[in-house]
Amino acid sequence: MKAHYSSVSVIAPARLHMGFFDLSGSLGRHFGSIGVALNEISTRLSASPAATRLVTGPSSKRAELCLTMLCQALGVSDQLRIRIDSAIPEHVGLGSGTQMALAIGMALNGIYGLGLSVRQIAAVTERGLRSGIGIGIFERGGLVVDGGRGEKTITPPVLVQMDIPEDWRFVLVFDERGQGLHGSQEVQAFSQLPPFSALEAARLCYLLLMQGLPAVAEQDLGKFGEVITELQRSVGEHFASAQGGVFTSPEVAQVMAWLAGQGAVAIGQTSWGPTGFCALQGVALAEALAQQARERFTHFDKVTIVVASARNSGGEVAVY
């Protein structure tokens, strides 16, 4: 197939994965999850036809694998120049794999005029096998709740999408020394987890539907934070046997405990970590508390603390 356009650029935002609701499918559907799109961290790339294939920039090896798989599946040429300007850090809980796959897929979609949706590309790349948050935030951004997997699910459906209030900020705590479980390790970990209680799954669903989501609608960060902290506690304890505790990184756990003591809310770990997150209302407050944390934990030389805002729009695709 010949190229229809000379260049395509894509922005695929990172996400916080704030937890699952029913890890064992005890109430009929597996997983179900909630997450938020981020502004400041993203995979940004551009693609154009070329005489020979060339992929440059951060996470280029992952991009090469995505490109090979997608070109074979879609029946298009891989004779492209792909320049990656920035990439979401790999295996730290921010959805790097899904966003790279969607970014490459949407670039091919644009160049060859394939007319595919984000979900069709996700299905081709086998994304959304457990969580639909990465797909949902690329589609629309903001806060996303997906409905998990049933017997006929191809990609988990988005049930809720809401804008996050403009003054809410998320403090992210990275540990450069480690990575969260991924690939075959992640599959094995899920297979070895104990059954998740049906009563607990029902309780978490109620907390989200009747407390967490109304709190977002009413811009009540305190109440939203209580729900996320409780969801994270429950799911973190369930995952503890696989990841060594509620938090993967002991250093991140210490920083998160201190932030909670200073008034931060929505305390948790995104996906398998090791990245921790919390929320605060107001840019100045978030920046000030993040700086205090940096100064207090300066002896954790591999721990990085940053402030991020929610992205209330999805991924961007520009065709030239």
Side-chain angles (χ1 to χ4, degrees):
M1 178 180 289
K2 292 183 178 180
H4 287 208
Y5 297 96
S6 60
S7 179
V8 175
S9 63
V10 184
I11 300 174
R15 58 95 176 109
L16 296 178
H17 193 284
M18 292 179 161
F20 290 107
F21 313 128
D22 192 347
L23 289 158
S24 301
S26 56
L27 296 175
R29 290 184 70 91
H30 281 80
F31 309 116
S33 52
I34 179 172
V36 171
L38 297 176
N39 255 324
E40 289 76 8
I41 306 171
S42 63
T43 291
R44 296 170 178 254
L45 59 80
S46 59
S48 56
T52 58
R53 167 173 164 160
L54 178 64
V55 180
T56 60
S59 294
S60 58
K61 289 184 178 180
R62 167 171 275 182
E64 289 266 14
L65 293 173
C66 289
L67 181 61
T68 297
M69 187 266 286
L70 277 160
C71 287
Q72 291 176 352
L74 300 175
V76 298
S77 172
D78 68 350
Q79 290 184 310
L80 300 169
R81 181 181 185 276
I82 296 180
R83 187 188 74 233
I84 304 168
D85 296 314
S86 67
I88 299 166
E90 295 185 16
H91 309 310
V92 300
L94 297 180
S96 60
T98 294
Q99 298 311 306
M100 180 63 80
L102 294 179
I104 296 289
M106 292 305 289
L108 293 174
N109 187 55
I111 284 182
Y112 293 109
L114 301 177
L116 298 175
S117 68
V118 172
R119 288 191 174 267
Q120 287 173 314
I121 290 171
V124 168
T125 56
E126 297 187 341
R127 292 291 162 176
L129 295 181
R130 284 173 289 275
S131 170
I133 299 302
I135 301 168
I137 65 105
F138 193 102
E139 289 177 316
R140 299 177 64 182
L143 178 142
V144 171
V145 177
D146 77 71
R149 300 195 66 86
E151 293 181 2
K152 299 180 180 180
T153 301
I154 298 174
T155 55
V158 169
L159 306 181
V160 175
Q161 189 280 334
M162 303 175 73
D163 284 355
I164 293 289
E166 292 293 330
D167 64 341
W168 289 13
R169 289 295 182 272
F170 297 94
V171 176
L172 312 183
V173 182
F174 297 94
D175 186 340
E176 299 173 12
R177 298 170 309 163
Q179 295 182 334
L181 295 177
H182 58 277
S184 59
Q185 291 180 321
E186 181 183 19
V187 173
Q188 183 179 6
F190 269 111
S191 69
Q192 295 176 348
L193 287 173
F196 197 73
S197 161
L199 287 175
E200 182 64 358
R203 187 181 74 91
L204 294 180
C205 288
Y206 179 86
L207 283 176
L208 177 73
L209 180 62
M210 294 303 291
Q211 294 187 25
L213 297 182
V216 177
E218 295 173 351
Q219 302 191 20
D220 184 346
L221 179 58
K223 177 55 69 174
F224 175 73
E226 289 178 11
V227 172
I228 296 302
T229 298
E230 180 59 18
L231 174 63
Q232 282 282 317
R233 183 202 59 77
S234 176
V235 175
E237 289 177 355
H238 189 75
F239 281 145
S241 61
Q243 63 185 19
V246 174
F247 288 89
T248 299
S249 163
E251 286 78 5
V252 169
Q254 288 185 52
V255 178
M256 299 311 301
W258 182 82
L259 288 166
Q262 305 306 305
V265 300
I267 308 294
Q269 172 181 283
T270 176
S271 191
W272 289 103
T275 307
F277 68 85
C278 62
L280 290 151
Q281 188 156 8
V283 179
L285 177 60
E287 294 286 359
L289 192 57
Q291 182 57 31
Q292 291 176 39
R294 295 183 194 107
E295 294 169 358
R296 183 178 181 87
F297 295 98
T298 185
H299 55 292
F300 291 166
D301 59 342
K302 297 300 182 181
V303 169
T304 305
I305 301 169
V306 302
V307 176
S309 59
R311 178 185 176 96
N312 287 325
S313 59
E316 296 181 21
V317 181
V319 179
Y320 303 97

